[in-house]
Amino acid sequence: MITIKAEVLKGKQKSDGTYNVKIRMTYKREVKRLPTSIYVRKEDLTKTFKIKNPKFIKEANNIVRQYQELCASLPLETANYSLNDIIECIKVKNERKTTIDFIQFSKEWLEITQLKGKSNYQTSINAFITYLGKEHLNTDQMTKKLLNDFINYLQLKRTQRIEELKKHGKRIPSNRMLSLYIGCLRHLYNEVKKRYNDYDRNIILVPNSPFENLEIPKQEATRKRAISAEAIKEIWELPYQYNNNGTEKKCPYNLAKDCFIISFCLMGMNSIDLYSCSTLEGEVITYYRSKTKDRRLDKAKMKVIVPPILQSLMEKYQDQTKNRIFNFYHTYSTAGNFNKAINIGLKEIGKLLKIDDLEYYAARHSWATLAVNKVGIDKYTVHAALNHIDEAMKVTDIYIERDFKIENEANLKVLQYVFGSEGVK
């Protein structure tokens, strides 16, 4: 038979003058003491160190009664339990009563995570908090109905936003926000389960799976940003803007004109990679695509041969310190500021050439579109040139060391189509 009682140990006074009330458990002549959250002083005790303060007596008795009820549910008569086994069972049952705040967990996780795209998670949880109207939500309150209501809320907000954009004649964005927000919340919820569910010990503190079979509205096709070969050549042939003294202006317009052409001629190289790339051997730039390098075994390695048409621009933007290939980082403190400046310049160029909403990413889209539709490059080669992941070929790719020859040959064909012989000689 197990006996459970509260006691205070005379020789265990803490430095602040208090004593911790222990729960003494005795079973098969073995004794264990479990700490509690109750702390008493000498004036709360009798001379024989029995608790005399009614408030603490009540609190201690409640804990004793709770432990007795937990032990009563155990098959002590038939199972060969030790006292340690009993205490472990009590701990497990207490853990199962723990409530977990999904919102607070998410905030703490975001403070320490190094995951790329952290800002998307922050935006998603902020939108969820705005919808809830509070900053606390237990995991057992996270239901499929709540998520469906949140999706409906997001759709309503988007509809209202679209009406406003239409009034001002602005571009209507896709509904990617819906899948992004729900995807981020699902990831955060899975992190909660990873943290608190111990499947080996069958301690499941987060049993519900509200995202299972949740129907998320399909993402609309992204806006096609490709422009024609003629438009690309027009950008190439645009005159620069000059100062009164005849020197070329350092302005977003000139930067955008050059960087758009550089990106197009380097198979749609992203601005962040243009900003940070540092390895040039002969005429070959080697870089690791920032967007996907953390998700791939090959670090998204890419090698692109600098075509002859870019020689003058390579010299113009050469980093004299040799720390990087281009000197953009001397003018712009971050890749984000660099990309923003390019897009400001492209809006100006777009107005001149009557190209609606021209963006830097159009260089990448245009290269791929022209390669397939006009030059006849197969989609697999274009896929590789854009340095995308092919899920169907993931295992095969482990065994293949890429030499990037086919991709660079495809690039020369695209450049010849757009710029004629000037693009390849």
Side-chain angles (χ1 to χ4, degrees), residues 54 98 181 268 331 353 368 421 424:
T98 304
Y181 283 9
T331 306
L353 300 181
S421 59
V424 295

Side-chain angles (χ1 to χ4, degrees), residues 384-402:
L386 295 177
N387 211 1
H388 285 164
I389 300 170
D390 187 345
E391 295 294 336
M393 292 290 185
K394 233 175 180 181
V395 176
T396 305
D397 287 342
I398 295 172
Y399 298 93
I400 298 174
E401 183 177 350
R402 294 171 65 187

Side-chain angles (χ1 to χ4, degrees), residues 208-251:
N208 53 326
S209 300
F211 291 91
E212 193 172 324
N213 300 321
L214 180 70
E215 290 187 17
I216 303 172
K218 289 184 179 179
Q219 187 173 327
E220 297 167 354
T222 56
R223 179 173 55 90
K224 303 304 180 185
R225 289 178 274 194
I227 60 176
S228 67
E230 291 74 23
I232 293 166
K233 197 164 185 182
E234 281 187 279
I235 294 173
W236 167 249
E237 293 172 346
L238 276 174
Y240 287 105
Q241 293 181 356
Y242 292 92
N243 296 307
N244 292 333
N245 62 5
T247 58
E248 188 181 309
K249 277 186 177 181
K250 287 189 175 181
C251 61

Side-chain angles (χ1 to χ4, degrees), residues 227-235 264 366 370 374 414 417-419:
I227 60 176
S228 67
E230 291 74 23
I232 293 166
K233 197 164 185 182
E234 281 187 279
I235 294 173
F264 180 81
S366 301
L370 291 171
K374 302 298 182 182
V414 172
Y417 175 80
V418 175
F419 300 107

Side-chain angles (χ1 to χ4, degrees), residues 58-205:
K58 184 178 180 180
E59 288 181 14
N61 286 342
N62 284 340
I63 296 174
V64 169
R65 191 176 302 108
Q66 178 190 354
Y67 283 8
Q68 287 172 335
E69 289 173 357
L70 288 171
C71 289
S73 66
L74 299 175
L76 299 181
E77 304 299 326
T78 56
N80 190 25
Y81 278 92
S82 67
L83 186 53
N84 282 335
D85 292 332
I86 294 170
I87 291 171
E88 181 65 19
C89 288
I90 289 172
K91 286 180 179 178
V92 167
K93 292 197 175 189
N94 280 335
E95 284 177 3
R96 284 177 176 156
K97 295 179 180 179
T98 304
T99 58
I100 301 153
D101 190 322
F102 172 70
I103 302 294
Q104 293 308 306
F105 171 88
S106 298
K107 288 182 175 181
E108 291 167 10
W109 184 86
L110 283 167
E111 284 179 5
I112 61 173
T113 186
Q114 299 298 316
L115 188 70
K116 204 165 184 178
K118 177 178 175 177
S119 60
N120 289 334
Y121 289 86
Q122 188 66 66
T123 304
S124 302
I125 201 69
N126 287 345
F128 195 46
I129 289 170
T130 300
Y131 165 68
L132 293 171
K134 58 183 181 180
E135 300 210 4
H136 297 279
L137 183 77
N138 291 341
T139 51
D140 58 3
Q141 296 173 303
M142 194 80 157
T143 63
K144 188 178 291 187
K145 181 183 182 307
L146 178 66
L147 291 171
N148 278 322
D149 289 345
F150 179 51
I151 290 172
N152 292 335
Y153 162 81
L154 292 175
Q155 288 176 320
L156 177 61
K157 296 287 285 185
R158 180 172 182 264
T159 301
Q160 293 168 346
R161 177 67 176 151
I162 286 172
E163 290 304 315
E164 285 297 313
L165 291 172
K166 283 180 178 178
K167 286 179 185 177
H168 296 89
K170 293 187 176 181
R171 174 170 59 86
I172 307 300
S174 74
N175 67 341
R176 181 174 179 269
M177 174 189 70
L178 283 171
S179 57
L180 177 67
Y181 283 9
I182 299 301
C184 288
L185 291 180
R186 177 171 52 206
H187 184 106
L188 289 168
Y189 195 79
N190 286 337
E191 288 294 328
V192 176
K193 298 183 84 167
K194 192 188 299 182
R195 170 82 64 84
Y196 290 101
N197 285 355
D198 185 341
Y199 296 99
D200 290 337
R201 296 166 63 206
N202 195 31
I203 302 174
I204 310 301
L205 304 186

